Amino acid sequence: MASCRPFRVSPPSSAGRLSIGLIVVALALMTTAAQSKLLVNGTDCIIRDPLYNVTFDFNALSSDLNHHVTAEENSERFFFNVCDKQRKDNRTEPLAYLVRQDKKITLGYEANLQLDNGRMQFSFLGEPCGNGSHYTLDIILLCSYERTPADLRVIPHTPDQCRYFIFWDTPLACQPLPTALVSNRCTVRDGTNRHLYNLLPLGAANHEVPLPDGSRFVVSVCKPVRYGHLTMCPPGTGVCLVNDAEYRDYGQAVADPKIDQLGRLVMEMRSTSEVCQNSLIVFECGQEEGIESGPIYRGRKDNCTHEFVWRTALACRDTRPCSVTNPITGTRYDLGLLANRTYTLTARDNRTYEVGVCRIPASSHCPLDAGACEVSSKQSVGLGAISNELQYDTTGAPYLLYRSGAVCDATSGRRWETRLEFICETDPVEGGRTGTVVPPTVVENGECQLVIHFETVLVCEPALMACGAYNESTIDQYVDLSPLMDSTQNYEARTSAQQGRRYFLNVCRPLVPQYGLSCRGGAAACEATFDGVTARNETTLGFPDVSLVVAGDTVLMKYLRGDPCRQDPLTNLSTTVAFRCLPTAGRGRPVLLEIEHDCHYRFDWATAVICPPEQTIPFERSNCSFHNPSTATSVSMNGVLDELSLCDKQPVAFIDYRTGSLIIHYTQPDSTNCSSTNGMKTYNVTVSCAPDSPLDRAAVSVSICEQFAYYLTLAYIEVFNEFSKYLEISAKIHIEIIRC
């Protein structure tokens, strides 16, 4: 029967090559000890698998900026681009090169796309390497269903090596996902004890099960088997039998596990192409072993079902209260330190609440068994029953949900509920690991729901989003956005046509909790409609978990994993912020440029923070002033820093835009104290000012020779409100010199 026929690599026709649209397909049957060989060459960054007629389009991998990755073992840096149509015919600049000890090695001018027995790769051929060979670079494309794939990875190599490999995880190397598996959580709740089983972490990779006859099963749960080298399984397959060049569907992947009639945690997978070739995976608690065994084949349960057993800690009933594991990273969050205390909060409408985390003391004013309540001089109203079941959404933050509070709407019978969302605190208070938290914030208290944001280091990942990156255009220049991170308030973007809609962002960190703004906890960008008092219809535009990309004077910051797009529910909203250098902009402010296809939000942010330092600001001795040509501003030193007598010197200065500092350097003779420096005393003066205060303090440090140190404190520097005018400083300065 046709339905039983396995998918198999077939030999080519006598013509040798078959043209399918834009793709040139080369099927060559090579007799080896392993199996038949399938070779397919791509055109215009598109390649088609002839087994299932699936097209892979990699044009989205092209970047206006080069991709780059650093080798961990020797810090060598690889730069490359693919699918760059504008540079396709430009043979003067390489598309791939290696920087080794400040030397640039060409790895190739053209990226050739090829499918080799399921392995998709871009290949580059570079300059001569010696012994008649050339430098080569292979970019191996690996299927990843993660919305935020892993960083590029360089395979370890030695300095005398000519061939290099980079792994690139991308959803573009995957077969199309069935609709039910696009945003599935892979969870099921046990009806007996209400425990929530989450098997999504098991779906991060393929698992191979060898068989005695040399064939093997490839098993994947929660997501289909990842298409790849010697794993060209039919689309949607969860259990695939691989026998030489045959790939057979022994069960389609399912979205969630279930509890069967025997109380077991199982996944039932049914084949859509094979008769009587289905699979059953039984998950058993393996917590006592402390290891993940992977699936083990038990044989046929009956004539039609192949049975596997999988021992894993994720199948254990977790009885630890007030804790949860991040299913994406595996990090375990334990909020027990926040429990058994009462937090008293006042919302902006002056309503007062008491809330507890997992447990609440008996001294609380809340009704019995309530985890949150509104309190007044006359009574307290319960807003949800206490619960110690900490939960985690793969597209949000850890949260507690207190349901079944007092009746909120007598007509519908709807009751109050409280949601506590816990957000990583990127500017932690002292003692944060002992349970200290930034005071929680009420962000929503209407429509029968109380939403509270807790900021705490107890839910931070070991590695936060890097807020800086190396400049790809200027090697070894590090661009840092951390001065724009704000732990006190969010940035609101300027808009033109989006009437009634407001956009809030932060940089490299989650939004600061803000009353009336209840985007999902941990979000870094949010869209909302304001009615003059509070926000409505909040939409999450992304989370801060992607590294920055830098080239020239442009920095790209991306926030992914937002809410589902209204126009395309299978796509999640995302945000891209393009920072560009503008010395006169100061900190600057984001501006909404466009919303592509109603799914992707693009912001422009002109800022001085990422500008390279202004080298050698001219000093005009005739009027004793510094002039910054980039901002067209000057500052007179007459009456300023009199103790240093700058007007009689020949000072050299530059501006550090990142810190907002004026750096002054000069020398003067001192043969008595500075014989070791040829009788010259060197002054390095740093004047720093804050952007948001018209009256601020700045520290000036002076280093004199090697034997002495002077510490000068400049107090009450009066500056203009605009952060961009670093040099416009008035003369209200007090200098105290302390000789050490």
Side-chain angles (χ1 to χ4, degrees):
M1 295 177 61
S3 60
C4 295
R5 187 177 304 152
F7 294 96
R8 185 180 183 88
V9 177
S10 302
S13 65
S14 58
R17 287 185 180 271
L18 177 63
S19 177
I20 305 178
L22 296 175
I23 311 301
V24 178
V25 180
L27 296 177
L29 186 62
M30 301 181 181
T31 305
T32 66
Q35 63 184 88
S36 303
K37 190 170 183 68
L38 171 68
L39 286 175
V40 181
N41 292 319
T43 302
D44 293 334
C45 270
I46 299 174
I47 202 163
R48 180 174 296 159
D49 172 10
L51 298 183
Y52 315 111
N53 199 30
V54 173
T55 297
F56 299 90
D57 187 342
F58 296 104
N59 277 287
L61 296 181
S62 177
S63 175
D64 295 336
L65 315 171
N66 279 335
H67 301 285
H68 71 95
V69 58
T70 302
E72 293 183 359
E73 69 274 9
N74 52 24
S75 298
E76 293 182 345
R77 302 175 66 198
F78 292 81
F79 296 82
F80 68 91
N81 204 352
V82 295
C83 307
D84 191 339
K85 296 180 180 179
Q86 294 181 349
R87 295 174 55 188
K88 182 178 180 181
D89 299 324
N90 182 1
R91 304 285 297 186
T92 59
E93 290 294 328
L95 274 179
Y97 60 91
L98 164 66
V99 176
R100 172 182 292 161
Q101 297 178 350
D102 296 329
K103 179 183 178 182
K104 187 174 178 179
I105 300 174
T106 297
L107 299 179
Y109 293 90
E110 183 179 4
N112 297 307
L113 177 61
Q114 189 177 70
L115 170 65
D116 180 357
N117 258 13
R119 180 177 60 228
M120 287 177 281
Q121 65 186 54
F122 287 103
S123 298
F124 294 89
L125 179 65
E127 65 182 64
C129 182
N131 299 324
S133 62
H134 287 75
Y135 285 101
T136 62
L137 173 64
D138 291 318
I139 311 293
I140 310 298
L141 304 169
L142 302 177
C143 168
S144 172
Y145 296 119
E146 301 296 330
R147 292 192 179 98
T148 308
D151 292 335
L152 297 167
R153 307 187 303 282
V154 179
I155 302 303
H157 58 275
T158 58
D160 59 348
Q161 195 168 315
C162 296
R163 190 175 187 184
Y164 305 99
F165 297 90
I166 294 176
F167 285 162
W168 193 347
D169 297 278
T170 170
L172 300 178
C174 302
Q175 296 166 322
L177 274 173
T179 302
L181 302 181
V182 172
S183 300
N184 62 313
R185 298 182 179 180
C186 207
T187 60
V188 65
R189 192 175 294 277
D190 189 338
T192 303
N193 57 22
R194 301 298 296 163
H195 175 75
L196 183 71
Y197 294 100
N198 185 345
L199 300 185
L200 193 60
L202 300 181
N206 295 339
H207 301 267
E208 294 198 1
V209 182
L211 298 175
D213 62 359
S215 61
R216 57 193 168 96
F217 283 111
V218 181
V219 179
S220 179
V221 295
C222 304
K223 301 293 183 183
V225 170
R226 286 155 178 78
Y227 184 92
H229 188 227
L230 303 181
T231 315
M232 295 179 285
C233 295
T237 303
V239 176
C240 175
L241 178 66
V242 180
N243 186 12
D244 191 28
E246 294 181 354
Y247 301 93
R248 304 178 65 169
D249 171 14
Y250 271 34
Q252 289 282 297
V254 295
D256 300 293
K258 71 176 187 178
I259 307 297
D260 69 3
Q261 295 179 346
L262 300 177
R264 300 179 302 176
L265 180 65
V266 301
M267 278 188 173
E268 295 179 352
M269 303 182 181
R270 297 187 176 277
S271 174
T272 58
S273 60
E274 302 284 338
V275 174
C276 213
Q277 297 288 5
N278 304 315
S279 296
L280 174 71
I281 302 178
V282 180
F283 298 92
E284 297 180 353
C285 176
Q287 191 174 39
E288 68 279 1
E289 298 176 4
I291 59 173
E292 298 288 340
S293 65
I296 299 174
Y297 184 52
R298 279 184 172 174
R300 287 201 178 194
K301 177 184 176 183
D302 51 42
N303 290 332
C304 294
T305 304
H306 298 266
E307 185 171 311
F308 300 82
V309 63
W310 194 329
R311 296 182 61 79
T312 170
L314 297 177
C316 301
R317 292 182 175 87
D318 193 344
T319 58
R320 287 176 289 181
C322 214
S323 64
V324 71
T325 298
N326 184 329
I328 299 175
T329 65
T331 302
R332 184 152 196 90
Y333 308 130
D334 188 343
L335 300 185
L337 292 173
L338 305 182
N340 204 32
R341 66 179 71 175
T342 301
Y343 299 89
T344 302
L345 316 174
T346 301
R348 283 188 40 189
D349 58 3
N350 292 322
R351 295 160 71 179
T352 301
Y353 302 92
E354 288 188 0
V355 63
V357 176
C358 298
R359 298 186 302 278
I360 194 167
S363 58
S364 167
H365 295 92
C366 290
L368 185 65
D369 295 332
C373 63
E374 181 180 357
V375 295
S376 65
S377 58
K378 297 181 179 180
Q379 63 177 352
S380 64
V381 178
L383 304 182
I386 193 75
S387 170
N388 61 13
E389 185 182 0
L390 188 62
Q391 303 180 58
Y392 190 93
D393 279 336
T394 56
T395 55
Y399 68 94
L400 288 166
L401 191 59
Y402 300 160
R403 293 190 174 96
S404 301
V407 174
C408 171
D409 186 338
T411 303
S412 64
R414 186 179 178 186
R415 292 179 174 272
W416 276 97
E417 66 178 35
T418 297
R419 183 181 176 99
L420 310 182
E421 296 185 340
F422 300 90
I423 303 168
C424 171
E425 170 52 39
T426 57
D427 188 20
V429 296
E430 184 177 356
R433 287 289 175 187
T434 63
T436 306
V437 294
V438 175
T441 303
V442 176
V443 297
E444 196 76 41
N445 59 347
E447 299 181 358
C448 301
Q449 186 178 48
L450 175 67
V451 180
I452 297 173
H453 282 179
F454 277 77
E455 290 188 278
T456 171
V457 295
L458 298 177
V459 295
C460 292
E461 289 294 318
L464 297 175
M465 175 183 182
C467 205
Y470 281 99
N471 192 327
E472 297 176 358
S473 301
T474 306
I475 297 172
D476 295 332
Q477 179 187 348
Y478 189 77
V479 180
D480 186 8
L481 282 182
S482 59
L484 293 177
M485 295 176 65
D486 198 327
S487 60
T488 60
Q489 61 185 356
N490 301 311
Y491 296 93
E492 183 174 353
R494 294 190 180 98
T495 61
S496 55
Q498 298 293 324
Q499 294 184 354
R501 303 296 288 172
R502 295 170 67 179
Y503 301 87
F504 297 88
L505 300 90
N506 216 312
V507 177
C508 303
R509 58 150 289 148
L511 292 168
V512 176
Q514 177 177 334
Y515 178 75
L517 189 66
S518 58
C519 271
R520 283 183 284 143
C526 181
E527 176 187 33
T529 301
F530 268 75
D531 59 10
V533 178
T534 186
R536 295 287 184 268
N537 304 319
E538 292 95 330
T539 303
T540 296
L541 304 183
F543 292 83
D545 48 16
V546 179
S547 298
L548 304 178
V549 178
V550 186
D553 62 355
T554 301
V555 181
L556 290 183
M557 179 178 69
K558 293 187 177 182
Y559 294 153
L560 308 178
R561 301 189 297 113
D563 289 340
C565 176
R566 290 180 290 271
Q567 299 298 322
D568 181 6
L570 300 182
T571 299
N572 289 81
L573 298 176
S574 61
T575 297
T576 297
V577 184
F579 297 88
R580 55 186 176 84
C581 166
L582 184 62
T584 59
R587 287 165 66 96
R589 181 178 172 185
V591 177
L592 178 65
L593 294 182
E594 61 176 334
I595 306 175
E596 291 184 348
H597 310 298
D598 288 334
C599 294
H600 185 69
Y601 292 70
R602 292 189 177 275
F603 294 86
D604 178 74
W605 194 327
T607 176
V609 170
I610 66 171
C611 294
E614 291 284 354
Q615 300 293 341
T616 314
I617 300 297
F619 177 72
E620 299 178 4
R621 192 170 185 179
S622 60
N623 57 10
C624 192
S625 65
F626 290 103
H627 175 71
N628 184 0
S630 295
T631 59
T633 54
S634 298
V635 58
S636 174
M637 292 289 103
N638 284 311
V640 180
L641 301 175
D642 284 340
E643 287 82 352
L644 301 181
S645 302
L646 288 178
C647 296
D648 299 331
K649 311 294 190 303
Q650 287 291 340
V652 176
F654 69 92
I655 293 177
D656 184 350
Y657 287 107
R658 190 185 72 85
T659 59
S661 301
L662 171 66
I663 315 297
I664 304 173
H665 170 84
Y666 67 94
T667 60
Q668 69 179 31
D670 188 343
S671 58
T672 302
N673 298 316
C674 299
S675 58
S676 62
T677 55
N678 297 322
M680 298 301 295
K681 179 187 297 183
T682 300
Y683 287 77
N684 292 303
V685 182
T686 301
V687 182
S688 302
C689 56
D692 300 323
S693 173
L695 198 63
D696 195 60
R697 295 184 177 184
V700 177
S701 63
V702 180
S703 174
I704 304 177
C705 309
E706 296 179 358
Q707 295 89 354
F708 301 93
Y710 282 70
Y711 297 92
L712 285 75
T713 301
L714 275 66
Y716 309 114
I717 295 182
E718 184 173 330
V719 300
F720 285 83
N721 289 330
E722 287 297 324
F723 184 59
S724 59
K725 299 177 181 178
Y726 294 119
L727 293 180
E728 297 188 18
I729 303 175
S730 73
K732 293 185 179 180
I733 300 175
H734 170 72
I735 302 176
E736 180 182 3
I737 301 179
I738 304 174
R739 184 182 298 274
C740 298

